[in-house]
Amino acid sequence: MKFGLIEGIRQEATAGARGLCPGCSSSVIAKCGEIRLHHWAHLSTMVCDPWREQETEWHRGWKNEFPVEWQEVWHRASNGEIHISDVKTANGAVIEFQHSPITPQERASREAFYHPMAWVVDGVRLKRDLPSFCAALTDAPSAGTKLRAWLVRPGTSMIVDRWAGGSYPVFLDFGDAVFPPRWLPTTGLLWWLQYVPKLGAVATPVLRQSVVDHYRVGTPIRGLKAIAPTRRPGLTGFEAHLARKRGNRARF
Ligand SMILES: [Zn+2]
């Protein structure tokens, strides 16, 4: 956890500090070592939120894109379970930054509990995911949507397959990477996956900053404009045919 309570005030971990967990009110201790990010840990090994995962630099970086009061918001479920959402926006939408593997069951419970929500998925946890995604893109047809996008078919990209079946937006974060359409920016992109039953996922490269702004202030998510089908200069075969006919008629 990034925040613990000291005298009732949310604070970040500093060496030697002790506090209380904002969720379950049990004692937490500041861990400020060299290897892991500074964080608060429960004194007993009991973890109060069964959905929490160890926080990485990647998580912290994402959370910090949002106001402090939106980060680590506590919820109590009707069964008494406590859950911390990574970010909860002013509109009540939750954003979860997912690095670890997650079972379809757990994913479904979180979607049911946090609705509405969005997932930002760490695409670089497994080495094979990026090459498999790139290979899928190479063969993917254009999705024909307003924004430039591709249709990634089932069975062609492992990470896209793993995230199928949910009801909320999924954004894949591969960090800085080169994608097969070489003209795509190599930095500041996320891949927005929208699943179409049986067909696969429409994968739209979108600007990372526009996703942050969308959840912060409600501005639209921006991608790259689809290129309108270009017409070759000169006449098409059919037009040339008509012109010839007209020309012939004029001549006689
Ligand atoms: Zn706790």
Side-chain angles (χ1 to χ4, degrees):
M1 299 183 295
K2 181 179 167 188
F3 299 105
L5 292 178
I6 300 179
E7 292 171 1
I9 296 163
R10 266 160 57 102
Q11 302 210 18
E12 292 196 37
T14 48
R18 282 173 174 256
L20 296 178
C21 167
C24 67
S25 302
S26 59
S27 297
V28 288
I29 184 164
K31 300 272 188 178
C32 300
E34 301 269 297
I35 298 169
R36 285 191 50 193
L37 294 172
H38 294 183
H39 65 282
W40 292 96
H42 288 77
L43 272 185
S44 80
T45 52
M46 185 207 71
V47 176
C48 68
D49 177 359
W51 292 345
R52 289 318 291 170
E53 53 174 319
Q54 184 174 312
E55 195 167 67
T56 60
E57 201 78 59
W58 177 81
H59 280 110
R60 201 54 81 77
W62 265 108
K63 277 187 191 174
N64 287 340
E65 295 281 6
F66 298 91
V68 165
E69 56 282 11
W70 292 9
Q71 301 175 21
E72 293 188 356
V73 175
W74 293 80
H75 307 258
R76 188 179 290 272
S78 50
N79 64 2
E81 258 183 19
I82 294 165
H83 299 300
I84 326 173
S85 54
D86 285 329
V87 161
K88 188 175 191 183
T89 69
N91 300 335
V94 162
I95 313 172
E96 286 284 90
F97 305 109
Q98 192 65 24
H99 169 80
S100 310
I102 181 168
T103 63
Q105 292 76 16
E106 184 182 328
R107 181 186 178 191
S109 345
R110 276 206 237 175
E111 291 196 346
F113 185 68
Y114 285 142
H115 67 101
M117 68 166 298
W119 297 95
V120 176
V121 176
D122 188 352
V124 299
R125 180 178 63 89
L126 298 179
K127 280 211 167 64
R128 57 177 194 259
D129 278 336
L130 179 60
S132 135
F133 181 74
C134 288
L137 269 187
T138 308
D139 297 330
S142 166
T145 41
K146 249 190 203 163
L147 293 179
R148 200 69 191 266
W150 288 266
L151 182 65
V152 176
R153 302 208 190 275
T156 61
S157 156
M158 289 176 285
I159 194 166
V160 173
D161 287 349
R162 285 203 306 280
W163 282 89
S167 348
Y168 288 110
V170 174
F171 299 95
L172 299 182
D173 180 7
F174 290 109
D176 294 348
V178 177
F179 297 102
R182 290 297 177 126
W183 46 267
L184 282 174
T186 55
T187 188
L189 277 192
L190 298 176
W191 288 85
W192 180 8
L193 302 180
Q194 293 159 288
Y195 289 86
V196 185
K198 290 186 186 141
L199 284 181
V202 173
T204 310
V206 292
L207 306 182
R208 183 189 192 278
Q209 189 59 46
S210 78
V211 174
V212 171
D213 294 343
H214 176 72
Y215 288 102
R216 282 185 67 126
V217 293
T219 45
I221 292 174
R222 290 188 297 132
L224 305 145
K225 266 208 189 106
I227 297 170
T230 46
R231 294 181 62 176
R232 261 184 279 139
L235 302 176
T236 63
F238 183 63
E239 283 166 336
H241 169 74
L242 284 181
R244 264 199 310 275
K245 272 182 85 172
R246 275 198 297 272
N248 287 347
R249 220 177 280 140
R251 222 175 288 146
F252 290 108

